[in-house]
Amino acid sequence: MELFKETDKLATVIHKDHTLLPVINRFGLKLGFGDATIKQLCVTNGIDVTFFLEIINVFRNENYFSEKKLLDFSVVIVIDYLRKTHKYYLEYVFPEQERLIDLFLQDCYGECKENELVRKFYHNFREEFINHVQIEELRVFPYILKLKEAILDPLDKDVFFSEYRGSNIRGFEKEHSDMDEKMFDLKNIIIKYLPPNYDPNIGNSLLSSLFMFEKDMKNHSRIEDKILIPKVRQLEKMIGKDE
Amino acid sequence: MNSSLNKIIVICNSDIILAGMAEILTGCNSDEVILLHLSIELMDYPYLSGYILVILPLSIFEMNERLLNQIFSHVRKTKYLYLNLNEKEENSGDSINLYDNKILIVNKINESLDALGTKRESGTIDELTRREIDVLQLVSKGLANKEVADRLSISIHTVISHRKNISEKTGIKSASGLTMYAVLKKIIDLDDISTSDLI
């Protein structure tokens, strides 16, 4: 698959893959950019152009990963992107999916008790997901940011060591595969097994939203597992915190 | 209907070989796989019927021939495939070698199953066998693999291999997803789980 370059027009990029829309929004970019290229837009909006390109290319091609390049980025910029992704899930995706599930069940005719299980399954998935996000926001990200500060300033280093004695990124790491599995199962159950006693158009909207979220979520996990965590290990080594 | 199904029984005193066979057998056209350490454990399966393919080292067969003949006396048809543990030994028509590649082993096993006369109809991929349904029923009520094994008097290997087959046939992997599948297919009752946290 072709890779996007900084000389590409962003409008062309979106025509080629509209699922990138929420991704560019996370960088603060909004539509109406005329014929501006990626580079021009990044410069005017204060975005690191290499990071932007890596993120959209990683999003588009599951197998693409120029790990070397990505490891050059500061953890600050990666965490900022991940936080915006979390915000997008919590403030937009989940409420939207809740709304679609309401509609989906509301239009159910006949025997609908079983269809209600979709809501229960989804709620449990969401709860687990939010829990994961909270651990990252409240514990993992602050740890990484303090680690980074500690490397720059010897004063911070003492504070860091007393605060995080005994912690390291390995202890925070959590498998993403559980949640990936559940999201796949939910889609597959609707596609293969749920009695189709609902409005098919609403069913399609719900499924599209789940597909899109799944893609976004996998991409998010890839960035954490392949960029953030190796980067943090590198920092831990620098400060002498690897066991 | 149950009696026309085929089963593969693997007997070998090595966990590594059993686990490896379980993995390879997921690619075979068998309805059920039973993994055992010792021939004597077959006594726990008094109701064996249908077509049975037994995979075991030749020495184990020779030592237990009488016992095996006795146990399989009510079975419609039995066939043995000998598992060769010595890398250098040549395969005969009814043996596989531990060092053969996976595709070769799968082909040989499928050929042996066909020879038993149990050629599988196509399109039955997501239909579960009776035993798989038993396992799914217990799993979807929240039982752990060990508990399922105890309840059905089978080994934990067998439970794991059933679960793998179930997931492959249904396309559902997570425990809560399987519970939902079981309700939708009326394998368990909605009331059994509606007040719990199984989904």
Side-chain angles (χ1 to χ4, degrees):
Chain A
M1 201 181 278
E2 61 155 336
L3 294 180
F4 297 125
K5 317 176 290 297
E6 60 179 26
T7 48
D8 288 336
K9 291 177 184 167
L10 193 54
T12 315
V13 170
I14 296 302
H15 275 295
K16 283 188 179 152
D17 185 356
H18 74 276
T19 61
L20 282 167
L21 282 168
V23 178
I24 69 162
N25 292 156
R26 274 166 224 162
F27 284 92
L29 294 176
K30 290 180 180 160
L31 295 180
F33 27 65
D35 279 326
T37 64
I38 289 177
K39 186 172 185 185
Q40 290 164 341
L41 284 164
C42 284
V43 171
T44 20
N45 290 280
I47 299 163
D48 183 320
V49 63
T50 325
F51 184 67
F52 180 84
L53 278 172
E54 289 295 307
I55 293 290
I56 62 173
N57 281 319
V58 166
F59 188 85
R60 187 142 191 253
N61 313 309
E62 265 181 47
N63 300 319
Y64 167 78
F65 235 105
S66 68
E67 296 183 24
K68 208 178 108 263
K69 249 198 231 167
L70 276 168
L71 285 176
D72 290 342
F73 300 116
S74 151
V75 288
V76 178
I77 177 173
V78 182
I79 286 178
D80 182 55
Y81 176 79
L82 294 172
R83 280 197 160 137
K84 282 187 178 137
T85 321
H86 287 162
K87 192 165 182 273
Y88 169 73
Y89 297 153
L90 301 184
E91 292 179 6
Y92 175 72
V93 177
F94 292 158
E96 171 65 7
Q97 287 178 344
E98 184 74 45
R99 188 183 71 84
L100 287 168
I101 287 176
D102 278 344
L103 282 173
F104 180 76
L105 296 172
Q106 176 188 310
D107 277 356
C108 181
Y109 45 88
E111 188 62 47
C112 293
K113 266 203 313 214
E114 289 162 350
N115 294 44
E116 276 292 331
L117 293 175
V118 168
R119 191 198 303 273
K120 197 167 176 198
F121 191 94
Y122 175 76
H123 280 178
N124 280 351
F125 164 82
R126 192 181 57 187
E127 199 174 306
E128 196 180 321
F129 192 92
I130 291 176
N131 195 21
H132 176 82
V133 166
Q134 275 170 346
I135 290 174
E136 286 184 354
E137 294 272 348
L138 300 175
R139 297 182 51 211
V140 185
F141 293 168
Y143 165 76
I144 298 171
L145 294 172
K146 286 247 172 70
L147 170 66
K148 160 138 180 113
E149 282 165 21
I151 284 173
L152 298 175
D153 186 339
L155 265 178
D156 285 335
K157 190 168 169 172
D158 295 338
V159 180
F160 173 79
F161 268 101
S162 66
E163 192 173 342
Y164 287 104
R165 201 170 349 127
S167 324
N168 63 32
I169 193 69
R170 203 165 296 168
F172 289 129
E173 272 175 58
K174 199 178 172 275
E175 279 272 342
H176 291 110
S177 57
D178 263 18
M179 285 178 299
D180 292 350
E181 238 172 44
K182 282 193 181 147
M183 185 36 68
F184 181 85
D185 284 355
L186 178 58
K187 282 166 32 201
N188 211 17
I189 281 170
I190 298 175
I191 294 170
K192 288 172 77 176
Y193 305 116
L194 199 72
N197 43 7
Y198 49 80
D199 180 331
N201 292 321
I202 292 169
N204 295 348
S205 300
L206 175 61
L207 266 178
S208 304
S209 172
L210 296 177
F211 269 107
M212 187 125 163
F213 174 59
E214 184 187 40
K215 185 176 175 187
D216 207 315
M217 178 173 78
K218 279 192 178 158
N219 181 59
H220 183 82
S221 318
R222 270 204 312 277
I223 293 173
E224 288 182 358
D225 297 343
K226 299 222 167 143
I227 307 171
L228 189 64
I229 289 173
K231 182 87 197 172
V232 173
R233 287 232 180 88
Q234 210 178 50
L235 296 179
E236 284 176 341
K237 224 173 240 172
M238 277 168 71
I239 206 169
K241 207 173 189 317
D242 57 323
E243 334 82 295
Chain B
M1 174 201 156
N2 216 358
S3 62
S4 69
L5 298 175
N6 69 54
K7 293 182 187 60
I8 297 180
I9 298 176
V10 186
I11 306 172
C12 183
N13 204 2
S14 152
D15 282 337
I16 291 181
I17 292 175
L18 287 179
M21 284 302 293
E23 167 72 28
I24 283 177
L25 289 169
T26 57
C28 295
N29 306 326
S30 63
D31 296 302
E32 186 173 355
V33 175
I34 298 173
L35 305 167
L36 303 172
H37 284 112
L38 302 168
S39 307
I40 193 81
E41 290 171 41
L42 278 168
M43 303 293 259
D44 299 335
Y45 297 84
Y47 303 113
L48 285 172
S49 62
Y51 300 92
I52 293 185
L53 176 66
V54 189
I55 303 175
L56 76 183
L58 185 59
S59 56
I60 305 287
F61 173 75
E62 285 170 347
M63 269 191 297
N64 297 282
E65 196 172 348
R66 271 208 7 225
L67 172 75
L68 290 167
N69 284 336
Q70 197 189 327
I71 288 171
F72 296 131
S73 56
H74 304 295
V75 167
R76 195 181 294 187
K77 210 167 173 188
T78 317
K79 189 172 163 56
Y80 292 93
L81 205 53
Y82 303 109
L83 179 61
N84 228 324
L85 305 177
N86 181 347
E87 187 174 4
K88 301 224 160 51
E89 212 162 311
E90 289 280 322
N91 276 340
S92 64
D94 54 2
S95 68
I96 49 175
N97 193 298
L98 185 59
Y99 298 87
D100 284 342
N101 82 39
K102 182 174 171 173
I103 296 166
L104 201 86
I105 295 177
V106 169
N107 280 343
K108 193 96 174 226
I109 292 171
N110 283 340
E111 274 170 25
S112 306
L113 289 171
D114 288 349
L116 276 170
T118 63
K119 213 164 199 159
R120 262 241 258 198
E121 301 290 314
S122 56
T124 58
I125 192 76
D126 72 325
E127 271 175 34
L128 302 179
T129 64
R130 183 64 242 166
R131 207 48 163 174
E132 283 162 3
I133 291 174
D134 293 340
V135 171
L136 178 57
Q137 219 158 27
L138 297 174
V139 169
S140 51
K141 286 180 183 165
L143 269 70
N145 287 348
K146 178 79 181 70
E147 295 169 294
V148 176
D150 291 347
R151 194 76 76 83
L152 298 175
S153 311
I154 53 179
S155 76
I156 194 152
H157 286 300
T158 313
V159 175
I160 291 168
S161 126
H162 281 313
R163 283 196 62 161
K164 256 189 151 168
N165 291 341
I166 294 167
S167 290
E168 216 147 88
K169 287 181 181 177
T170 59
I172 309 291
K173 286 205 176 108
S174 64
S176 45
L178 285 172
T179 303
M180 196 154 156
Y181 172 86
V183 172
L184 292 172
K185 290 280 177 182
K186 320 258 185 246
I187 291 169
I188 58 167
D189 201 57
L190 184 58
D191 298 333
D192 283 352
I193 56 134
S194 53
T195 52
S196 65
D197 254 341
L198 289 165
I199 285 184

